[in-house]
Amino acid sequence: MKTIKGPGVFLAQFAGDSAPFNTLAGMAAWAAEKGFKGVEIPSWDTRLIDLRKAAESQTYVDEILGVLGEHDLTLTDLASHLQGQLVALHPAFDLPADSFAPAEVRNNPQGRQEWATEQLYLAAKASRRFGLTKHVTFSGTLLWPYLYPYPQWPEGLIEEGFSELARRWTPILNACEEQGVDLCYEIHPTEDLHDGLTFERFLEKTGNHARCNIMYDPSHLVLQGIDYLTYIDHYHERIKAFHVKDAEFRPDGKTGAYGGYQPWASRAGRFRSPGDGQTDFGAIFSKLTGYDFDGWAVLEWECCFKNSEDGAREGAQFIDEHIIRVTDKSFDDFCKSYADQSLNKKILGI
C-alpha cells in the first residue's frame, strides 16, 4: 500500500485580485504558511499560469516549479473545470457560462467550444511538461436540463446526448493518452457525469478509454444521497484524484435535494469546511488507502459560513491528521510462523 500524499490545496477558490492571492509566488508563500505541501493550479487563471506557454515552453514550466520549490511545494495537478464545462454546453447555459471564455469567443458557441477543446489539448501537453500523470476537469452539460423525466424525454434523447458527449471528448482522451495523462472528471451535479451510472454510460461510449477516470469528491455524492463509501468500492480502479470537501444534507418539511432556489446558507444540502459536515473522512481515507490510491488529498474549500483563512488552515491540519501512514510490517508479525511445508501438512493432517 501507498501513503496518500498531502495536504494539498486547490487554489481556485482562494485566488483574487489582491496580494498575496494575485500571483503564484504570493499564493505559494500563503499555502506553505497554512501548512500545505502541494497546490493544484486552476489552468484558466492567468494570474497564476499561462497555459499555452506551459504547454510550449519547458523553461517556463521549470520557472513555475522553481517558484513552488522555494516554498517546498509540489504541483499536484492542473485543473480545467471552466474549459471542460465549455467543451459540451447546453444552449440554456450560453449566457451564464459565457464569462468562462475569453472575450474574443463570447457570444459565439462554436468558437467557444473550439477554444475550450484546444485548452484541453494544451492542458495535456502542459501536464506532461510538469511531469504530471493526472489532470482534473468537468465533463460539460448537454443533458442536465432534462435530468427529471418530465416532460417525457423524446425517445433516444439521452442516448444521443451521451453519444455526442463521447464524440467531443474522445479526441481529447486520445491526446491525453499520447501525453501519458489520465483525465479525471469531477463527478458533480449540473455536469452530465454526476454519479456512478452516468460515468459508466460515458465510459462505455468512449470504448472504456483507459484515460477516462474520476476525480473523487464525496461532497457532491452526499448532496445526492449516494453511498459515497460504496462508490469507492465500485470505482476505485478509476479514481485517480481526490478532493477533500465536506457537506451536509438536512432535508426538512419544506425542501430537499433540489434546494428550493435558496442561497447556499439556506439550502438543505450545502458545502462545509472539512470536519464541519457529515462526511466520514476517516472511512474514506481508510478505503482509498486500502485500495492503494496513488495520489494527493487536495482541499477544495467551499463553505457558506466559515472564514476562508480559517478554512484553509484547519483544512490543511484536517487532511494531515487523516492521512494514514502505511505500515511496512503486519502488527502480528511477532507471532508469525514461517513457511514450513512439512509443518503445514501436519497441521492439516495430510
Side-chain angles (χ1 to χ4, degrees):
M1 294 184 294
K2 301 180 180 69
T3 297
I4 295 174
K5 295 182 279 290
V9 59
F10 187 26
L11 298 180
Q13 283 83 4
F14 299 99
D17 291 329
S18 300
F21 305 107
N22 58 348
T23 66
L24 183 61
M27 293 214 73
W30 170 86
E33 188 274 330
K34 287 289 185 283
F36 293 105
K37 298 178 182 177
V39 296
E40 182 177 275
I41 296 179
S43 65
W44 63 84
D45 196 328
T46 55
R47 294 168 298 193
L48 307 181
I49 189 172
D50 182 327
L51 183 59
R52 181 177 296 280
K53 198 171 180 180
E56 298 173 352
S57 170
Q58 189 61 46
T59 299
Y60 176 69
V61 162
D62 291 341
E63 289 173 357
I64 289 180
L65 293 177
V67 169
L68 299 181
E70 289 177 5
H71 302 280
D72 295 322
L73 291 172
T74 297
L75 178 60
T76 67
D77 307 282
L78 299 177
S80 62
H81 292 77
L82 301 194
Q83 301 100 311
Q85 184 82 61
L86 299 180
V87 169
L89 191 70
H90 187 278
F93 301 110
D94 270 345
L95 293 180
D98 212 32
S99 63
F100 294 174
E104 59 267 23
V105 293
R106 291 176 188 167
N107 299 310
N108 178 359
Q110 183 62 38
R112 188 181 58 203
Q113 179 189 333
E114 292 172 357
W115 171 84
T117 300
E118 184 192 24
Q119 286 281 295
L120 267 294
Y121 291 144
L122 294 174
K125 292 179 180 178
S127 294
R128 178 186 57 79
R129 285 197 181 276
F130 279 112
L132 301 170
T133 59
K134 305 172 183 68
H135 179 72
V136 178
T137 195
F138 273 156
S139 68
T141 303
L142 296 177
L143 290 168
W144 186 257
Y146 312 105
L147 178 69
Y148 197 84
Y150 187 83
Q152 292 181 348
W153 302 322
E155 185 173 349
L157 174 68
I158 306 304
E159 186 73 11
E160 184 65 30
F162 276 96
S163 294
E164 177 64 16
L165 197 69
R167 186 189 69 78
R168 297 189 190 191
W169 279 104
T170 297
I172 298 171
L173 288 164
N174 290 340
C176 288
E177 172 65 27
E178 293 173 4
Q179 302 299 331
V181 176
D182 287 322
L183 194 57
C184 305
Y185 294 98
E186 180 169 355
I187 305 303
H188 187 293
T190 74
E191 305 304 307
D192 286 342
L193 306 191
H194 58 268
D195 62 7
L197 294 179
T198 51
F199 175 76
E200 288 181 12
R201 195 164 190 167
F202 176 70
L203 180 63
E204 182 181 6
K205 287 290 187 181
T206 67
N208 295 309
H209 203 293
R211 295 299 177 178
C212 180
N213 291 286
I214 291 172
M215 198 287 288
Y216 176 76
D217 181 337
S219 69
H220 300 300
L221 307 181
V222 169
L223 299 192
Q224 297 180 75
I226 296 173
D227 184 337
Y228 56 87
L229 295 177
T230 304
Y231 191 96
I232 298 174
D233 294 329
H234 287 305
Y235 303 113
H236 61 91
E237 292 181 350
R238 294 278 178 174
I239 293 174
K240 305 292 186 179
F242 172 31
H243 272 182
V244 178
K245 186 167 70 175
D246 209 346
E248 60 185 354
F249 181 49
R250 305 183 188 279
D252 58 27
K254 291 188 175 182
T255 189
Y258 297 127
Y261 298 110
Q262 296 300 299
W264 279 111
S266 302
R267 296 177 72 90
R270 54 199 183 186
F271 301 124
R272 301 299 305 275
S273 281
D276 292 347
Q278 297 171 326
T279 312
D280 186 349
F281 280 103
I284 289 173
F285 275 83
S286 293
K287 274 192 178 287
L288 289 176
T289 299
Y291 281 123
D292 211 20
F293 172 72
D294 184 19
W296 281 79
V298 176
L299 173 71
E300 183 182 20
W301 183 84
E302 293 179 349
C303 183
C304 53
F305 296 120
K306 184 166 286 185
N307 177 275
S308 61
E309 290 289 312
D310 294 339
R313 184 185 66 256
E314 294 172 9
Q317 182 178 352
F318 183 90
I319 292 172
D320 189 59
E321 291 175 350
H322 277 78
I323 289 175
I324 300 169
R325 275 71 181 176
V326 299
T327 181
D328 58 359
K329 63 180 180 179
S330 177
F331 66 88
D332 56 359
D333 278 351
F334 72 93
C335 59
K336 181 177 181 179
S337 297
Y338 292 92
D340 185 329
Q341 187 176 14
S342 62
L343 176 62
N344 290 341
K345 290 182 175 181
K346 287 181 180 179
I347 291 173
L348 295 171
I350 58 177

